[in-house]
Amino acid sequence: MKAAVLFKVNEPLQVVDVELDPPKAGEVRVKMKAAGVCQSDWHMINGDWPSPLPLVPGHEAAGIIDAVGDGVTTVKPGDHVIFSFRPQCGQCRYCSAGRPVLCIGRNNTPGTTLFDGTLRLKHKGTGLNQMARIGTFSEQVVVPAEMVVPIRKDMPWPQAALVGCCVATGVGAVTRHAKIEAGSTVLVIGCGGVGLNIIQGAVLSGARKIIAADLRDNKLEMARTFGATDTINTTGEKVVEQIKALTGGLGVDYAFDAVSIDKTQALAIDAICPGGRAVTVGVPPLTMRATYSPFAMVFGEKVVSGTFYGSVRPSVDFPVLVDHYMNKRLNLDGLISRTYTLEQINDGFKAMMGGEVARGVVVFD
Ligand SMILES: [Zn+2]
Ligand SMILES: [Zn+2]
């Protein structure tokens, strides 16, 4: 079997032959069917997020349970599953409070190993780390059972894969984290895989106006097909004034930043109305800093918050998102611009960084 491996930062992934040890207690082996190519994988490849190497990246995926270790009761061989990239121990203060994204129950081992601190994938005898403990750019993986969520079997694979990262993150930011009121006005900064799903979350929640902002006109055209009512190219002049002009002079009720760099953070905070909320959704490089105006925060009672993974509860929310797609309330087909074989994976990153695609997905046999 093969996996795409990062041996050195800033070098292309190498698709190599690997061996896989069987699942231990509490673990499952999954045969991969589809895995999305995400900006977060790129952060690992270019060293923005330092990680032990060698590493198999990939964290947005779906597959079939092939074998289960002792004590696994949540899934069985033949089940279709979507991977979650966060553990959920079910016991810690955050899991108990329904916030598994913040789970602290599995912090005793590095985040690239199984829970016992060892590795199952090997290349010529050397253990391969798995991004977020799952590492889905591999034909098969062994992962903790709590990191897969069973779904209905009529869900197509590439669409199922996307639910595990960009759909959960974007839709969840609106429906789970911000919980916007119907009739709200919304700004979405950045119209890639996550941004388009923020737009879809706003549509699902009954937003009155959804303003999409991006540097590229092709992304803005795509945003309209996902439900944006207005678009602004942020390379133009007076972007904040344009947003205020579209919202009765006050600014939007909610701004969602899918890019999360210094400039977009400033835009999000400046674009919200008094009493409005700016939500940071995209995951920035570790060392990024942003500035804001405390004056505007005080006199405008502005709120800034962050959401990781759309604040979802994977085992509850993934099946809901799957149903939304099957009931034609989420457009996931339109997100899949291209598919690749595992061997073509580096082309997938090139296309993503060139802004050519909403999402590229590696499809396995
Ligand atoms: Zn991702
Ligand atoms: Zn926990």
Side-chain angles (χ1 to χ4, degrees):
M1 56 164 286
K2 296 205 181 285
V5 182
L6 178 70
F7 287 99
K8 209 167 163 220
V9 293
N10 280 317
E11 284 188 2
L13 300 182
Q14 292 183 37
V15 178
V16 294
D17 285 308
V18 296
E19 304 90 52
L20 182 61
D21 288 345
K24 293 187 184 174
E27 299 173 358
V28 297
R29 185 169 71 221
V30 188
K31 187 177 183 320
M32 207 64 64
K33 297 301 288 186
V37 177
C38 174
Q39 192 87 29
S40 298
D41 303 308
W42 186 249
H43 283 307
M44 309 292 287
I45 293 169
N46 71 9
D48 279 344
W49 301 345
S51 167
L53 300 179
L55 171 92
V56 178
H59 60 282
E60 176 183 83
I64 299 181
I65 298 288
D66 179 56
V68 303
D70 287 345
V72 172
T73 56
T74 47
V75 288
K76 58 187 183 305
D79 280 355
H80 293 197
V81 296
I82 295 173
F83 290 82
S84 157
F85 60 73
R86 290 291 298 161
Q88 41 179 343
C89 75
Q91 305 291 325
C92 73
R93 60 176 283 192
Y94 293 109
C95 283
S96 302
R99 301 183 73 180
V101 165
L102 299 178
C103 176
I104 51 172
R106 305 297 189 194
N107 290 354
N108 55 327
T109 52
T112 56
T113 68
L114 279 295
F115 291 147
D116 67 359
T118 64
L119 300 168
R120 301 290 166 275
L121 275 169
K122 300 204 166 76
H123 172 64
K124 295 180 178 168
T126 302
L128 299 174
N129 292 278
Q130 292 170 238
M131 178 177 178
R133 303 183 197 274
I134 53 181
T136 55
F137 294 141
S138 181
E139 289 175 343
Q140 291 185 39
V141 284
V142 168
V143 301
E146 70 194 47
M147 299 185 71
V148 295
V149 175
I151 56 160
R152 55 196 274 185
K153 291 190 174 176
D154 52 354
M155 179 69 175
W157 291 113
Q159 288 83 346
L162 300 193
V163 169
C165 180
C166 67
V167 178
T169 300
V171 175
V174 181
T175 60
R176 284 284 313 145
H177 176 77
K179 299 192 173 82
I180 73 168
E181 306 82 10
S184 297
T185 54
V186 172
L187 170 70
V188 180
I189 305 168
C191 300
V194 170
L196 293 172
N197 282 297
I198 296 171
I199 292 170
Q200 302 211 80
V203 173
L204 271 175
S205 303
R208 164 193 180 194
K209 193 178 274 283
I210 303 169
I211 305 167
D214 201 285
L215 299 163
R216 292 187 174 94
D217 285 331
N218 66 326
K219 292 284 177 78
L220 294 173
E221 279 161 35
M222 196 177 277
R224 285 208 182 258
T225 69
F226 281 80
T229 59
D230 301 86
T231 57
I232 294 177
N233 188 310
T234 49
T235 59
E237 301 280 299
K238 298 189 171 164
V239 172
V240 174
E241 284 81 352
Q242 290 183 56
I243 293 162
K244 289 194 171 166
L246 288 168
T247 49
L250 286 178
V252 290
D253 298 313
Y254 295 91
F256 293 90
D257 184 0
V259 182
S260 304
I261 59 171
D262 46 3
K263 277 185 196 152
T264 57
Q265 286 283 284
L267 173 59
I269 295 165
D270 289 344
I272 53 176
C273 64
R277 176 192 277 235
V279 181
T280 306
V281 187
V283 185
L286 206 61
T287 51
M288 180 70 63
R289 289 291 182 271
T291 56
Y292 67 94
S293 157
F295 183 89
M297 307 304 276
V298 170
F299 287 94
E301 296 204 341
K302 294 186 174 187
V303 177
V304 178
S305 65
T307 172
F308 180 32
Y309 212 169
S311 309
V312 290
R313 304 147 302 175
S315 37
V316 177
D317 295 313
F318 286 3
V320 172
L321 293 167
V322 166
D323 275 351
H324 280 333
Y325 168 77
M326 296 303 290
N327 294 331
K328 301 194 170 17
R329 302 195 72 204
L330 274 182
N331 172 10
L332 306 189
D333 301 345
L335 291 172
I336 302 167
S337 313
R338 278 180 213 172
T339 59
Y340 306 98
T341 63
L342 188 60
E343 280 71 18
Q344 296 168 326
I345 189 159
N346 292 303
D347 298 338
F349 284 105
K350 263 186 221 126
M352 181 182 71
M353 297 317 291
E356 297 168 33
V357 294
R359 213 59 163 180
V361 181
V362 175
V363 176
F364 297 78
D365 299 330

